[in-house]
PDB file of all heavy atoms in Angstrom:
ATOM      1  N   VAL A 151      -4.365 -12.352 -42.572  1.00 98.00           N
ATOM      2  CA  VAL A 151      -5.037 -11.102 -42.208  1.00 98.00           C
ATOM      3  C   VAL A 151      -3.989  -9.985 -42.126  1.00 98.00           C
ATOM      4  O   VAL A 151      -3.117 -10.004 -41.252  1.00 98.00           O
ATOM      5  CB  VAL A 151      -5.776 -11.221 -40.855  1.00 98.00           C
ATOM      6  CG1 VAL A 151      -6.588  -9.953 -40.588  1.00 98.00           C
ATOM      7  CG2 VAL A 151      -6.660 -12.464 -40.821  1.00 98.00           C
ATOM      8  N   ALA A 184      20.341   1.900 -21.209  1.00 87.00           N
ATOM      9  CA  ALA A 184      19.264   0.947 -20.932  1.00 87.00           C
ATOM     10  C   ALA A 184      19.809  -0.165 -20.031  1.00 87.00           C
ATOM     11  O   ALA A 184      21.011  -0.439 -20.017  1.00 87.00           O
ATOM     12  CB  ALA A 184      18.745   0.353 -22.239  1.00 87.00           C
ATOM     13  N   GLN A 210      16.304 -15.502 -18.921  1.00 96.00           N
ATOM     14  CA  GLN A 210      16.742 -14.481 -19.882  1.00 96.00           C
ATOM     15  C   GLN A 210      16.552 -14.950 -21.335  1.00 96.00           C
ATOM     16  O   GLN A 210      16.251 -14.140 -22.201  1.00 96.00           O
ATOM     17  CB  GLN A 210      18.216 -14.106 -19.608  1.00 96.00           C
ATOM     18  CG  GLN A 210      18.616 -12.707 -20.086  1.00 96.00           C
ATOM     19  CD  GLN A 210      18.175 -11.591 -19.126  1.00 96.00           C
ATOM     20  OE1 GLN A 210      17.368 -11.795 -18.228  1.00 96.00           O
ATOM     21  NE2 GLN A 210      18.716 -10.410 -19.334  1.00 96.00           N
ATOM     22  N   GLU A 231      14.568  -8.400 -45.868  1.00 97.00           N
ATOM     23  CA  GLU A 231      15.564  -9.459 -46.038  1.00 97.00           C
ATOM     24  C   GLU A 231      16.689  -9.330 -45.014  1.00 97.00           C
ATOM     25  O   GLU A 231      17.202 -10.327 -44.510  1.00 97.00           O
ATOM     26  CB  GLU A 231      16.104  -9.451 -47.480  1.00 97.00           C
ATOM     27  CG  GLU A 231      16.602 -10.803 -47.987  1.00 97.00           C
ATOM     28  CD  GLU A 231      16.000 -12.030 -47.268  1.00 97.00           C
ATOM     29  OE1 GLU A 231      14.810 -12.367 -47.427  1.00 97.00           O
ATOM     30  OE2 GLU A 231      16.757 -12.688 -46.501  1.00 97.00           O
ATOM     31  N   THR A 259      23.427 -24.357 -19.300  1.00 96.00           N
ATOM     32  CA  THR A 259      24.590 -24.766 -20.086  1.00 96.00           C
ATOM     33  C   THR A 259      25.819 -23.944 -19.697  1.00 96.00           C
ATOM     34  O   THR A 259      26.936 -24.457 -19.660  1.00 96.00           O
ATOM     35  CB  THR A 259      24.277 -24.618 -21.593  1.00 96.00           C
ATOM     36  OG1 THR A 259      23.102 -25.377 -21.871  1.00 96.00           O
ATOM     37  CG2 THR A 259      25.419 -25.129 -22.449  1.00 96.00           C
ATOM     38  N   LEU A 346       1.467 -34.005 -24.113  1.00 98.00           N
ATOM     39  CA  LEU A 346       2.399 -33.465 -23.119  1.00 98.00           C
ATOM     40  C   LEU A 346       1.814 -32.207 -22.476  1.00 98.00           C
ATOM     41  O   LEU A 346       1.882 -32.019 -21.258  1.00 98.00           O
ATOM     42  CB  LEU A 346       3.758 -33.173 -23.782  1.00 98.00           C
ATOM     43  CG  LEU A 346       4.881 -32.697 -22.855  1.00 98.00           C
ATOM     44  CD1 LEU A 346       5.153 -33.692 -21.734  1.00 98.00           C
ATOM     45  CD2 LEU A 346       6.167 -32.440 -23.667  1.00 98.00           C
ATOM     46  N   THR A 365      11.486 -30.059  -4.720  1.00 95.00           N
ATOM     47  CA  THR A 365      12.481 -29.016  -4.947  1.00 95.00           C
ATOM     48  C   THR A 365      13.626 -29.182  -3.946  1.00 95.00           C
ATOM     49  O   THR A 365      13.424 -28.994  -2.751  1.00 95.00           O
ATOM     50  CB  THR A 365      11.846 -27.615  -4.788  1.00 95.00           C
ATOM     51  OG1 THR A 365      10.629 -27.573  -5.548  1.00 95.00           O
ATOM     52  CG2 THR A 365      12.799 -26.537  -5.269  1.00 95.00           C
ATOM     53  N   ILE A 379      11.685 -18.344  -4.676  1.00 92.00           N
ATOM     54  CA  ILE A 379      10.275 -18.692  -4.539  1.00 92.00           C
ATOM     55  C   ILE A 379      10.101 -19.688  -3.401  1.00 92.00           C
ATOM     56  O   ILE A 379      10.896 -20.607  -3.234  1.00 92.00           O
ATOM     57  CB  ILE A 379       9.763 -19.260  -5.882  1.00 92.00           C
ATOM     58  CG1 ILE A 379       9.802 -18.139  -6.926  1.00 92.00           C
ATOM     59  CG2 ILE A 379       8.361 -19.821  -5.747  1.00 92.00           C
ATOM     60  CD1 ILE A 379       9.637 -18.609  -8.347  1.00 92.00           C
ATOM     61  N   VAL A 393      -6.558 -28.090 -11.914  1.00 98.00           N
ATOM     62  CA  VAL A 393      -6.968 -26.938 -12.720  1.00 98.00           C
ATOM     63  C   VAL A 393      -8.479 -26.855 -12.893  1.00 98.00           C
ATOM     64  O   VAL A 393      -9.037 -25.753 -12.926  1.00 98.00           O
ATOM     65  CB  VAL A 393      -6.268 -26.927 -14.101  1.00 98.00           C
ATOM     66  CG1 VAL A 393      -4.761 -26.776 -13.921  1.00 98.00           C
ATOM     67  CG2 VAL A 393      -6.598 -28.172 -14.915  1.00 98.00           C
ATOM     68  N   MET A 413      -5.655 -23.725 -20.772  1.00 98.00           N
ATOM     69  CA  MET A 413      -6.853 -24.520 -20.465  1.00 98.00           C
ATOM     70  C   MET A 413      -7.929 -24.315 -21.534  1.00 98.00           C
ATOM     71  O   MET A 413      -8.599 -25.261 -21.961  1.00 98.00           O
ATOM     72  CB  MET A 413      -7.393 -24.142 -19.083  1.00 98.00           C
ATOM     73  CG  MET A 413      -6.570 -24.699 -17.931  1.00 98.00           C
ATOM     74  SD  MET A 413      -6.894 -23.858 -16.332  1.00 98.00           S
ATOM     75  CE  MET A 413      -8.634 -24.222 -16.074  1.00 98.00           C
ATOM     76  N   PHE A 433     -12.855 -16.872 -15.927  1.00 98.00           N
ATOM     77  CA  PHE A 433     -12.972 -15.622 -16.684  1.00 98.00           C
ATOM     78  C   PHE A 433     -13.892 -14.656 -15.946  1.00 98.00           C
ATOM     79  O   PHE A 433     -13.567 -13.476 -15.769  1.00 98.00           O
ATOM     80  CB  PHE A 433     -13.512 -15.922 -18.086  1.00 98.00           C
ATOM     81  CG  PHE A 433     -13.666 -14.707 -18.949  1.00 98.00           C
ATOM     82  CD1 PHE A 433     -12.589 -14.195 -19.665  1.00 98.00           C
ATOM     83  CD2 PHE A 433     -14.894 -14.042 -19.037  1.00 98.00           C
ATOM     84  CE1 PHE A 433     -12.736 -13.057 -20.466  1.00 98.00           C
ATOM     85  CE2 PHE A 433     -15.048 -12.911 -19.835  1.00 98.00           C
ATOM     86  CZ  PHE A 433     -13.968 -12.418 -20.547  1.00 98.00           C
ATOM     87  N   GLN A 438     -15.070  -9.981 -13.356  1.00 98.00           N
ATOM     88  CA  GLN A 438     -16.166  -9.419 -12.574  1.00 98.00           C
ATOM     89  C   GLN A 438     -15.798  -9.139 -11.128  1.00 98.00           C
ATOM     90  O   GLN A 438     -16.602  -8.592 -10.377  1.00 98.00           O
ATOM     91  CB  GLN A 438     -17.399 -10.334 -12.641  1.00 98.00           C
ATOM     92  CG  GLN A 438     -18.026 -10.349 -14.026  1.00 98.00           C
ATOM     93  CD  GLN A 438     -18.356  -8.929 -14.504  1.00 98.00           C
ATOM     94  OE1 GLN A 438     -18.998  -8.161 -13.810  1.00 98.00           O
ATOM     95  NE2 GLN A 438     -17.828  -8.565 -15.684  1.00 98.00           N
ATOM     96  N   LEU A 484     -10.689 -18.246 -25.653  1.00 98.00           N
ATOM     97  CA  LEU A 484     -12.089 -18.530 -25.327  1.00 98.00           C
ATOM     98  C   LEU A 484     -12.975 -18.364 -26.560  1.00 98.00           C
ATOM     99  O   LEU A 484     -13.986 -19.066 -26.700  1.00 98.00           O
ATOM    100  CB  LEU A 484     -12.564 -17.608 -24.195  1.00 98.00           C
ATOM    101  CG  LEU A 484     -12.042 -17.988 -22.804  1.00 98.00           C
ATOM    102  CD1 LEU A 484     -12.264 -16.838 -21.811  1.00 98.00           C
ATOM    103  CD2 LEU A 484     -12.725 -19.263 -22.301  1.00 98.00           C
ATOM    104  N   GLU A 500      -8.154  -5.015 -23.342  1.00 98.00           N
ATOM    105  CA  GLU A 500      -6.720  -5.210 -23.088  1.00 98.00           C
ATOM    106  C   GLU A 500      -5.885  -4.543 -24.168  1.00 98.00           C
ATOM    107  O   GLU A 500      -4.883  -3.888 -23.886  1.00 98.00           O
ATOM    108  CB  GLU A 500      -6.378  -6.701 -23.009  1.00 98.00           C
ATOM    109  CG  GLU A 500      -7.092  -7.477 -21.910  1.00 98.00           C
ATOM    110  CD  GLU A 500      -6.730  -7.005 -20.505  1.00 98.00           C
ATOM    111  OE1 GLU A 500      -5.881  -6.109 -20.354  1.00 98.00           O
ATOM    112  OE2 GLU A 500      -7.325  -7.550 -19.553  1.00 98.00           O
ATOM    113  N   MET A 509       3.438   0.743 -23.289  1.00 97.00           N
ATOM    114  CA  MET A 509       4.459   1.223 -24.230  1.00 97.00           C
ATOM    115  C   MET A 509       4.331   2.718 -24.448  1.00 97.00           C
ATOM    116  O   MET A 509       3.234   3.242 -24.595  1.00 97.00           O
ATOM    117  CB  MET A 509       4.304   0.506 -25.566  1.00 97.00           C
ATOM    118  CG  MET A 509       5.403   0.810 -26.552  1.00 97.00           C
ATOM    119  SD  MET A 509       5.247  -0.219 -28.034  1.00 97.00           S
ATOM    120  CE  MET A 509       3.753   0.470 -28.752  1.00 97.00           C
ATOM    121  N   VAL A 524      -1.263   8.027 -10.101  1.00 98.00           N
ATOM    122  CA  VAL A 524       0.149   8.330  -9.888  1.00 98.00           C
ATOM    123  C   VAL A 524       0.281   9.736  -9.335  1.00 98.00           C
ATOM    124  O   VAL A 524      -0.424  10.651  -9.768  1.00 98.00           O
ATOM    125  CB  VAL A 524       0.907   8.186 -11.230  1.00 98.00           C
ATOM    126  CG1 VAL A 524       2.132   9.071 -11.263  1.00 98.00           C
ATOM    127  CG2 VAL A 524       1.312   6.735 -11.448  1.00 98.00           C
ATOM    128  N   LEU A 566      -8.419 -11.233 -35.286  1.00 98.00           N
ATOM    129  CA  LEU A 566      -9.615 -10.568 -35.814  1.00 98.00           C
ATOM    130  C   LEU A 566     -10.774 -11.519 -36.098  1.00 98.00           C
ATOM    131  O   LEU A 566     -11.921 -11.189 -35.838  1.00 98.00           O
ATOM    132  CB  LEU A 566      -9.260  -9.795 -37.098  1.00 98.00           C
ATOM    133  CG  LEU A 566      -8.882  -8.331 -36.906  1.00 98.00           C
ATOM    134  CD1 LEU A 566      -7.709  -8.167 -35.968  1.00 98.00           C
ATOM    135  CD2 LEU A 566      -8.612  -7.668 -38.255  1.00 98.00           C
ATOM    136  N   VAL A 591     -12.258 -10.676 -47.038  1.00 98.00           N
ATOM    137  CA  VAL A 591     -12.996  -9.564 -46.437  1.00 98.00           C
ATOM    138  C   VAL A 591     -12.082  -8.356 -46.291  1.00 98.00           C
ATOM    139  O   VAL A 591     -10.972  -8.458 -45.762  1.00 98.00           O
ATOM    140  CB  VAL A 591     -13.547  -9.948 -45.038  1.00 98.00           C
ATOM    141  CG1 VAL A 591     -14.443  -8.830 -44.501  1.00 98.00           C
ATOM    142  CG2 VAL A 591     -14.305 -11.265 -45.089  1.00 98.00           C
ATOM    143  N   PRO A 598     -10.662   3.393 -33.070  1.00 98.00           N
ATOM    144  CA  PRO A 598     -11.617   3.486 -31.964  1.00 98.00           C
ATOM    145  C   PRO A 598     -12.272   4.851 -31.824  1.00 98.00           C
ATOM    146  O   PRO A 598     -12.927   5.102 -30.815  1.00 98.00           O
ATOM    147  CB  PRO A 598     -10.707   3.229 -30.760  1.00 98.00           C
ATOM    148  CG  PRO A 598      -9.421   3.872 -31.153  1.00 98.00           C
ATOM    149  CD  PRO A 598      -9.289   3.648 -32.624  1.00 98.00           C
ATOM    150  N   THR A 616     -22.525 -17.915 -43.002  1.00 98.00           N
ATOM    151  CA  THR A 616     -23.053 -16.949 -42.039  1.00 98.00           C
ATOM    152  C   THR A 616     -21.934 -16.023 -41.590  1.00 98.00           C
ATOM    153  O   THR A 616     -20.852 -16.493 -41.232  1.00 98.00           O
ATOM    154  CB  THR A 616     -23.643 -17.681 -40.812  1.00 98.00           C
ATOM    155  OG1 THR A 616     -24.709 -18.498 -41.267  1.00 98.00           O
ATOM    156  CG2 THR A 616     -24.146 -16.691 -39.770  1.00 98.00           C
ATOM    157  N   GLN A 653     -22.435 -12.217 -52.421  1.00 97.00           N
ATOM    158  CA  GLN A 653     -21.813 -11.937 -53.713  1.00 97.00           C
ATOM    159  C   GLN A 653     -20.562 -11.121 -53.464  1.00 97.00           C
ATOM    160  O   GLN A 653     -20.522 -10.306 -52.539  1.00 97.00           O
ATOM    161  CB  GLN A 653     -22.758 -11.061 -54.580  1.00 97.00           C
ATOM    162  CG  GLN A 653     -24.161 -11.604 -54.740  1.00 97.00           C
ATOM    163  CD  GLN A 653     -24.208 -12.798 -55.668  1.00 97.00           C
ATOM    164  OE1 GLN A 653     -23.455 -12.850 -56.650  1.00 97.00           O
ATOM    165  NE2 GLN A 653     -25.062 -13.783 -55.363  1.00 97.00           N
ATOM    166  N   ALA A 671     -17.855   1.633 -10.559  1.00 98.00           N
ATOM    167  CA  ALA A 671     -17.446   0.313 -10.088  1.00 98.00           C
ATOM    168  C   ALA A 671     -18.505  -0.231  -9.135  1.00 98.00           C
ATOM    169  O   ALA A 671     -19.264   0.537  -8.523  1.00 98.00           O
ATOM    170  CB  ALA A 671     -16.105   0.397  -9.366  1.00 98.00           C
ATOM    171  N   SER A 695      -2.207  15.727 -14.775  1.00 98.00           N
ATOM    172  CA  SER A 695      -2.015  17.090 -14.284  1.00 98.00           C
ATOM    173  C   SER A 695      -1.571  18.006 -15.422  1.00 98.00           C
ATOM    174  O   SER A 695      -1.845  19.201 -15.405  1.00 98.00           O
ATOM    175  CB  SER A 695      -1.021  17.124 -13.123  1.00 98.00           C
ATOM    176  OG  SER A 695       0.150  16.412 -13.439  1.00 98.00           O
ATOM    177  N   PRO A 720      -5.672  15.348 -34.241  1.00 97.00           N
ATOM    178  CA  PRO A 720      -4.618  14.494 -34.838  1.00 97.00           C
ATOM    179  C   PRO A 720      -3.224  14.877 -34.361  1.00 97.00           C
ATOM    180  O   PRO A 720      -2.289  14.076 -34.496  1.00 97.00           O
ATOM    181  CB  PRO A 720      -4.761  14.741 -36.344  1.00 97.00           C
ATOM    182  CG  PRO A 720      -5.513  16.023 -36.466  1.00 97.00           C
ATOM    183  CD  PRO A 720      -6.317  16.215 -35.226  1.00 97.00           C
ATOM    184  N   ALA A 741      -7.306  24.599   6.933  1.00 96.00           N
ATOM    185  CA  ALA A 741      -6.822  23.642   7.942  1.00 96.00           C
ATOM    186  C   ALA A 741      -6.857  22.245   7.337  1.00 96.00           C
ATOM    187  O   ALA A 741      -7.605  21.983   6.390  1.00 96.00           O
ATOM    188  CB  ALA A 741      -7.701  23.688   9.186  1.00 96.00           C
ATOM    189  N   SER A 764       1.509   9.650 -19.484  1.00 98.00           N
ATOM    190  CA  SER A 764       2.959   9.748 -19.282  1.00 98.00           C
ATOM    191  C   SER A 764       3.719   9.778 -20.601  1.00 98.00           C
ATOM    192  O   SER A 764       4.747   9.140 -20.748  1.00 98.00           O
ATOM    193  CB  SER A 764       3.476   8.599 -18.399  1.00 98.00           C
ATOM    194  OG  SER A 764       4.835   8.829 -18.044  1.00 98.00           O
ATOM    195  N   ASN A 765       3.211  10.517 -21.542  1.00 98.00           N
ATOM    196  CA  ASN A 765       3.951  10.758 -22.774  1.00 98.00           C
ATOM    197  C   ASN A 765       4.352  12.221 -22.919  1.00 98.00           C
ATOM    198  O   ASN A 765       4.951  12.590 -23.912  1.00 98.00           O
ATOM    199  CB  ASN A 765       3.133  10.320 -23.992  1.00 98.00           C
ATOM    200  CG  ASN A 765       3.346   8.848 -24.331  1.00 98.00           C
ATOM    201  OD1 ASN A 765       4.345   8.483 -24.931  1.00 98.00           O
ATOM    202  ND2 ASN A 765       2.446   7.993 -23.879  1.00 98.00           N
ATOM    203  N   GLN A 776     -13.344  11.712  -8.787  1.00 97.00           N
ATOM    204  CA  GLN A 776     -14.354  11.877  -7.742  1.00 97.00           C
ATOM    205  C   GLN A 776     -15.584  12.591  -8.306  1.00 97.00           C
ATOM    206  O   GLN A 776     -15.451  13.625  -8.954  1.00 97.00           O
ATOM    207  CB  GLN A 776     -13.721  12.694  -6.612  1.00 97.00           C
ATOM    208  CG  GLN A 776     -14.503  12.676  -5.328  1.00 97.00           C
ATOM    209  CD  GLN A 776     -14.405  11.334  -4.628  1.00 97.00           C
ATOM    210  OE1 GLN A 776     -13.349  10.700  -4.641  1.00 97.00           O
ATOM    211  NE2 GLN A 776     -15.486  10.903  -4.022  1.00 97.00           N
TER     212      GLN A 776
END
Side-chain angles (χ1 to χ4, degrees):
Chain A
V151 186
Q210 205 80 347
E231 207 24 71
T259 304
L346 184 57
T365 311
I379 294 167
V393 297
M413 285 163 62
F433 180 84
Q438 291 306 309
L484 285 166
E500 300 297 357
M509 187 174 69
V524 153
L566 267 58
V591 186
T616 298
Q653 307 287 325
S695 49
S764 189
N765 272 281
Q776 194 72 37

